[in-house]
Amino acid sequence: MRLSLPLFGGLALILIVLGLYVGLLASPPDALQRDYVRIMYVHVPSAAVAYLSFAAVFVGSIGFLWKRRVIYDQVAHSAAELGVLFTGLTLALGMIWGKAVWGTWWTWDARLVTTAILFLIYIGYLLIRELAEDRERGARLASVIGIIGFLDVPLIHYSVVWFRTLHQPTSVLRGDIKLAPPMLTALMINLVAFMVLYVYLLLMRIHLERMEAARATLALKGEL
Amino acid sequence: MTPAYIVAAYGIAALTLLLYFWRLRRRLRELEADVREHVAPHTPETLIAR
């Protein structure tokens, strides 16, 4: 932890600066979206990181319910908080892009609605933990929400295929890339930057969980 | 073309992530100081010193 935190922090900073350069300066404007395409370079990575986060909540929740080891719950709780942060950011950035390109902040589109539902599910996850009188019971209930809530992620992903939506379909799939090389490079660099930043914040957040547990143990022993 | 939407998008992303990072770091430092302060008296050295 002591070594990996500064390592991921430094790497994240370098990649973010590089991502800002390619996203804002080096990549060309889009023929239709013009410069607004640059919002995609933060919106798409933010959404990808949110998916990754909820996958971590899903795995951590199953691990906690199965093995009853606190570390699984600590990982799930930390990932849920970050997932909510990045989903909120995805929604905000998507709304700004929508206003610039579609001419509206919000529309009742399947992709947008399922993402907003995901946001609310995991706010519920965090609320249950905060409001539960018994910490262990709160963790168990939240784990169930963490598992069921993850079902919304594939629904979001395939919403653009299954429903008639205003939101564009996936631009980068294996063997089918609908982006020009400079734009793809900008997107990929920002994607890696967000992933590394995410790992850095997750490690910090898990460390915080462990410190809080240590503090609670000291308080129980009457040391605090 | 006004870049207002691009500035808003990047500004919101940067502010959100920075605020979260600062909050996390501040809370971590407080907790570390708190735990260290109360654990320290129980290390072998401090017990001997007592």
Side-chain angles (χ1 to χ4, degrees):
Chain A
M1 185 71 81
R2 290 246 171 261
L3 182 75
S4 53
L5 262 181
L7 187 79
F8 276 105
L11 193 61
L13 190 65
I14 293 167
L15 286 167
I16 286 168
V17 172
L18 186 66
L20 284 172
Y21 171 73
V22 289
L24 289 173
L25 301 168
S27 65
D30 181 68
L32 294 173
Q33 298 176 41
R34 294 173 292 160
D35 277 314
Y36 297 129
V37 73
R38 300 182 198 286
I39 298 173
M40 289 296 110
Y41 305 139
V42 277
H43 171 71
V44 176
S46 184
V49 163
Y51 284 1
L52 181 73
S53 222
F54 295 131
V57 179
F58 180 72
V59 173
S61 299
I62 290 176
F64 177 66
L65 289 179
W66 188 12
K67 303 273 184 189
R68 298 281 163 180
R69 284 186 61 191
V70 181
I71 183 68
Y72 288 116
D73 183 52
Q74 288 171 336
V75 171
H77 187 192
S78 306
E81 190 178 286
L82 281 163
V84 166
L85 178 85
F86 281 102
T87 309
L89 201 55
T90 304
L91 284 169
L93 298 174
M95 285 168 80
I96 294 170
W97 180 88
K99 179 65 183 163
V101 177
W102 292 342
T104 180
W105 296 103
W106 183 262
T107 176
W108 296 100
D109 173 274
R111 173 62 71 89
L112 275 65
V113 172
T114 46
T115 307
I117 290 171
L118 186 78
F119 186 57
L120 294 176
I121 288 172
Y122 285 92
I123 284 180
Y125 173 102
L126 295 175
L127 274 178
I128 282 227
R129 300 192 71 107
E130 287 299 314
L131 297 176
E133 282 180 19
D134 176 15
R135 194 181 161 86
E136 168 77 21
R137 190 174 145 76
R140 277 204 314 272
L141 276 172
S143 298
V144 175
I145 297 175
I147 294 166
I148 298 171
F150 186 68
L151 297 176
D152 193 28
V153 171
L155 194 66
I156 295 172
H157 189 72
Y158 289 107
S159 61
V160 287
V161 181
W162 294 338
F163 304 99
R164 223 173 68 183
T165 64
L166 189 58
H167 195 286
Q168 63 265 49
T170 312
S171 308
V172 183
L173 278 176
R174 256 180 297 174
D176 182 24
I177 297 167
K178 299 185 183 88
L179 278 177
M183 289 175 180
L184 184 66
T185 307
L187 183 63
M188 287 302 145
I189 290 172
N190 277 289
L191 195 62
V192 174
F194 267 68
M195 292 282 181
V196 176
L197 176 70
Y198 171 74
V199 173
Y200 174 61
L201 291 175
L202 185 66
L203 286 175
M204 264 180 99
R205 186 63 185 80
I206 293 170
H207 186 48
L208 181 75
E209 278 281 318
R210 295 175 73 103
M211 294 304 292
E212 274 175 349
R215 192 183 188 279
T217 308
L218 285 174
L220 270 178
K221 287 180 182 170
E223 301 282 354
L224 287 172
Chain B
M1 186 204 74
T2 167
Y5 291 120
I6 298 165
V7 173
Y10 277 79
I12 285 173
L15 262 179
T16 308
L17 294 172
L18 266 177
L19 278 174
Y20 183 76
F21 169 74
W22 286 122
R23 192 196 72 113
L24 211 59
R25 203 173 74 150
R26 198 187 62 198
R27 181 89 184 109
L28 249 179
R29 284 186 174 173
E30 279 171 9
L31 271 172
E32 274 174 349
D34 216 10
V35 171
R36 201 181 300 122
E37 189 184 321
H38 291 87
V39 169
H42 300 283
T43 62
E45 292 79 12
T46 50
L47 281 175
I48 292 164
R50 272 182 185 181

